[in-house]
Amino acid sequence: MTDRDLANEVAHTARMLAAAGLVEAFGHVSSRLPDGGFLITPTSPLHEATAASIITVDDDGVVVDDPSSAAPIEIPLHTAVYRARPDVVAICRGHGPSMVAWGVSLDDVPLLHGLGAIAGKVIPVHNDLDLISSPEAGDRAALTLSDNHAALLLANGGFAVGGSLLEAATRLWFTEERATVALAARTVEPPVGDWGHRLTHSRIELIRAEAWFSSRFTYLSSTTFQE
């Protein structure tokens, strides 16, 4: 895949997140470049994202190409996660309403239903009310994420990571669903049963969920750009 192809994929994923209701005026999508650095969406509305608008950032978090002069302030979050997690290929940052609502506390998002495990076994909440706008703040957020697939930011939505853009986007969707279920259930105690065995199905469920997410939100995206 060329850098241009990857920019198209980043833009397409951003438009899917917008169609899914996981972002409003805020949120971003990034993907690691094979030769170092990463691509990230600008601060313009994600439902309008195109390959021509995508920003290039180096491994140190320095913007090297910003076509619209609209780099997001939370580039340090992406920089730190990519540095700390060589397995992470993509990051999706969003503000789903249930993520925001659960994230007013510091309690991990409880795992109360099977499909919630698609977002990972543990979803911690990062204890920092400010934006992740400095290298030091980015490192702290990456430490909170640890080896998990998603994390919430205190009173400020959350983010999910993956081995592909589609995986990160799908995990963000199920992070939101998991928070929705937790809020509705009004409990942090999971149903009694063999959760260890239940979680062995999550990888297969992720593949099916990715296909559903791509099909549904590609269709619902208002426009499709191929440049």
Side-chain angles (χ1 to χ4, degrees), residues 11 21 25 27 30 47-48 53 66 74 88-89 92-93 97 108 122 132 136 160 166 191 193 201 203 206 213 215 225:
S30 73
H47 69 271
E48 298 177 344
S53 69
D66 184 357
E74 287 191 325
V88 170
V89 173
C92 289
R93 169 86 165 94
D108 293 352
V122 177
I132 312 301
E136 296 76 18
L166 182 57
H201 301 292
R203 172 54 62 176
L206 173 63
F213 186 92
S215 176
F225 297 89

Side-chain angles (χ1 to χ4, degrees), residues 27-28 40-43 55 63 66 70-76 78:
H28 19 89
I40 191 168
T41 50
T43 57
I55 297 162
V63 174
D66 184 357
I73 195 172
E74 287 191 325
I75 281 177
H78 298 252

Side-chain angles (χ1 to χ4, degrees), residues 37 45 51 70 107 118 131 136 141 154 179 196:
D107 295 329
I118 291 174
L131 297 178
E136 296 76 18
L154 182 64

Side-chain angles (χ1 to χ4, degrees), residues 1-224:
M1 181 181 290
T2 67
D3 289 358
R4 183 66 172 211
D5 291 336
L6 184 57
N8 262 317
E9 288 298 314
V10 170
H12 173 63
T13 302
R15 296 195 301 273
M16 286 197 295
L17 289 188
L22 294 173
V23 296
E24 293 175 345
F26 306 93
H28 19 89
V29 174
S30 73
S31 184
R32 194 191 293 269
L33 286 163
D35 296 325
F38 58 92
L39 301 180
I40 191 168
T41 50
T43 57
S44 55
L46 292 192
H47 69 271
E48 298 177 344
T50 68
S53 69
I54 301 303
I55 297 162
T56 305
V57 183
D58 71 15
D59 286 327
D60 296 320
V62 177
V63 174
V64 296
D65 183 26
D66 184 357
S68 55
S69 300
I73 195 172
E74 287 191 325
I75 281 177
L77 170 65
H78 298 252
T79 305
V81 170
Y82 286 130
R83 182 183 300 121
R85 292 279 301 275
D87 61 306
V88 170
V89 173
I91 301 169
C92 289
R93 169 86 165 94
H95 294 83
S98 294
M99 284 188 274
V100 175
W102 188 270
V104 302
S105 76
L106 290 175
D107 295 329
D108 293 352
V109 186
L111 178 56
L112 303 179
H113 73 304
L115 295 182
I118 291 174
K121 185 176 181 180
V122 177
I123 301 178
V125 179
H126 180 56
N127 186 14
D128 189 345
L129 189 62
D130 205 355
L131 297 178
I132 312 301
S133 58
S134 71
E136 296 76 18
D139 288 340
R140 291 193 296 270
L143 187 62
T144 296
L145 176 66
S146 185
D147 61 353
N148 299 302
H149 298 309
L152 302 190
L153 303 177
L154 182 64
N156 194 22
F159 66 98
V161 303
S164 68
L165 283 158
L166 182 57
E167 181 180 327
T170 304
R171 290 194 192 280
L172 190 67
W173 172 270
F174 284 96
T175 298
E176 174 68 7
E177 181 178 294
R178 179 158 153 178
T180 299
V181 170
L183 290 166
R186 299 183 180 180
T187 181
V188 296
E189 296 298 327
V192 175
D194 187 353
W195 280 91
H197 181 71
R198 176 63 183 85
L199 267 59
T200 63
H201 301 292
S202 296
R203 172 54 62 176
I204 295 173
E205 290 174 331
L206 173 63
I207 295 170
R208 183 171 173 179
E210 286 177 343
W212 169 83
F213 186 92
S214 177
S215 176
R216 180 178 182 187
F217 295 114
T218 295
Y219 174 76
L220 290 178
S221 296
S222 58
T223 44
T224 299

